[in-house]
């Protein structure tokens, strides 16, 4: 069954801790993306990767880091430097101009 | 700067009524256009897309959208809404220039009354 998986679905952390969100795809897509979603603001691009071992900052990369060591995987780390990390995080992968989204991870930091 | 505007934050319709969700974009050339749907707490599902050709495109779940170049619009329509259509709908455009960056509108939340 082809698709994108994100784990966990819900994540709770204390302020000051780094946390890593998982994203895996078996669609054989070269490109992968991380978005943040806040109520009333649509989706905003955090990081993207067009190919293994390469990634670029999106519009709101501050306080986040990524790696792309394998084609299938694009983990996102939310660092303690991110001032407002509580949000819904969506991972996507792309073939051509279309993007396909995972189910998302809701991160709550208290 | 390129942007996507969805003027309606919330829309409520009765089950069986017709639906039109508005989307306008600000972009120098004709972009690639998309509509996505999101159920609460879920990821986004692609409803339909426009790249070129026929300006009326058909999608899944009985949705269609019409691209109007003169109005820079890509409105989503459905002739008869079902209760299961209640969700949030996002219009998006692809910004060309080296990678396929999606620019999203803020979304329209659809409620369906029985």
């Amino acid at each position: 069954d082809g698709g994108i998986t994100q784990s966990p679905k819900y994540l709770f952390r204390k302020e000051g801790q780094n946390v890593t969100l998982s994203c895996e795809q078996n669609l054989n897509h070269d490109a992968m993306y991380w978005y943040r979603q806040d109520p009333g603001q649509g989706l905003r691009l955090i990081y993207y990767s067009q190919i293994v071992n390469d990634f670029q900052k999106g519009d709101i990369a501050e306080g986040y880091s990524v790696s792309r060591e394998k084609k299938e995987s694009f983990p996102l780390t939310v660092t303690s430097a991110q001032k407002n990390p509580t949000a819904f995080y969506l991972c996507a992968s792309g073939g051509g101009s279309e993007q396909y989204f995972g189910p998302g991870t809701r991160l709550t930091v208290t | 700067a390129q942007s996507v505007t969805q003027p309606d934050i919330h829309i409520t319709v009765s089950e069986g009524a017709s639906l039109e969700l508005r989307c306008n974009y600000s972009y120098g050339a004709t972009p690639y256009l998309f509509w996505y749907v999101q159920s609460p707490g879920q990821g986004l599902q692609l409803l339909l897309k426009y790249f070129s050709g026929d300006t009326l495109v058909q999608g899944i779940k009985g949705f269609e959208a019409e691209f109007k170049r003169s109005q820079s619009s890509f409105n989503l329509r459905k002739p008869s809404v079902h209760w299961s259509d209640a969700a949030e709908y996002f219009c998006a455009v692809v910004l060309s220039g080296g990678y396929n960056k999606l620019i999203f509108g803020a979304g329209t939340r659809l409620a369906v009354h029985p």
Side-chain angles (χ1 to χ4, degrees):
Chain A
D1 220 358
I4 303 173
T5 57
Q6 291 186 244
S7 61
K9 188 167 179 64
Y10 299 95
L11 194 51
F12 298 88
R13 281 294 183 270
K14 295 289 188 186
E15 201 172 305
Q17 294 179 334
N18 291 355
V19 59
T20 297
L21 282 59
S22 166
C23 177
E24 304 278 332
Q25 57 103 357
N26 60 6
L27 300 170
N28 201 34
H29 288 159
D30 286 318
M32 296 187 74
Y33 309 81
W34 273 106
Y35 293 89
R36 172 185 171 129
Q37 185 177 24
D38 297 283
Q41 294 194 45
L43 279 72
R44 293 179 289 168
L45 182 65
I46 304 172
Y47 267 97
Y48 65 98
S49 168
Q50 293 180 273
I51 200 166
V52 174
N53 292 322
D54 184 61
F55 49 83
Q56 304 294 329
K57 292 182 179 180
D59 299 320
I60 55 165
E62 186 174 349
Y64 299 98
S65 66
V66 294
S67 63
R68 187 82 187 280
E69 296 176 3
K70 298 187 300 181
K71 187 175 187 177
E72 302 78 17
S73 179
F74 191 39
L76 173 75
T77 297
V78 185
T79 75
S80 56
Q82 168 49 230
K83 290 183 173 35
N84 187 17
T86 294
F88 190 51
Y89 290 88
L90 286 157
C91 177
S93 70
S97 297
E98 296 181 36
Q99 292 184 26
Y100 299 88
F101 285 80
T105 292
R106 184 165 300 280
L107 173 65
T108 302
V109 177
T110 57
Chain B
Q2 289 78 11
S3 64
V4 178
T5 302
Q6 293 180 247
D8 305 304
I9 298 173
H10 294 280
I11 283 185
T12 301
V13 300
S14 298
E15 191 167 17
S18 63
L19 172 70
E20 181 168 32
L21 302 183
R22 296 181 291 164
C23 173
N24 294 95
Y25 63 89
S26 167
Y27 192 57
T30 299
Y32 294 163
L33 298 152
F34 304 84
W35 275 99
Y36 286 88
V37 61
Q38 184 181 35
S39 297
Q42 303 298 316
L44 274 67
Q45 182 181 22
L46 180 65
L47 282 176
L48 47 77
K49 63 194 178 198
Y50 173 78
F51 288 173
S52 64
D54 193 346
T55 56
L56 185 64
V57 294
Q58 303 297 320
I60 61 171
K61 304 182 185 225
F63 285 93
E64 66 179 26
E66 185 172 13
F67 169 61
K68 292 186 177 179
R69 184 191 309 273
S70 61
Q71 299 176 21
S72 297
S73 69
F74 188 55
N75 294 350
L76 182 71
R77 301 196 294 246
K78 187 169 185 178
S80 178
V81 171
H82 188 262
W83 64 266
S84 61
D85 293 324
E88 189 150 23
Y89 292 80
F90 292 94
C91 181
V93 305
V94 162
L95 180 67
S96 63
Y99 69 99
N100 292 315
K101 177 179 177 179
L102 271 174
I103 308 291
F104 284 89
T108 297
R109 184 168 296 280
L110 174 66
V112 180
H113 279 173

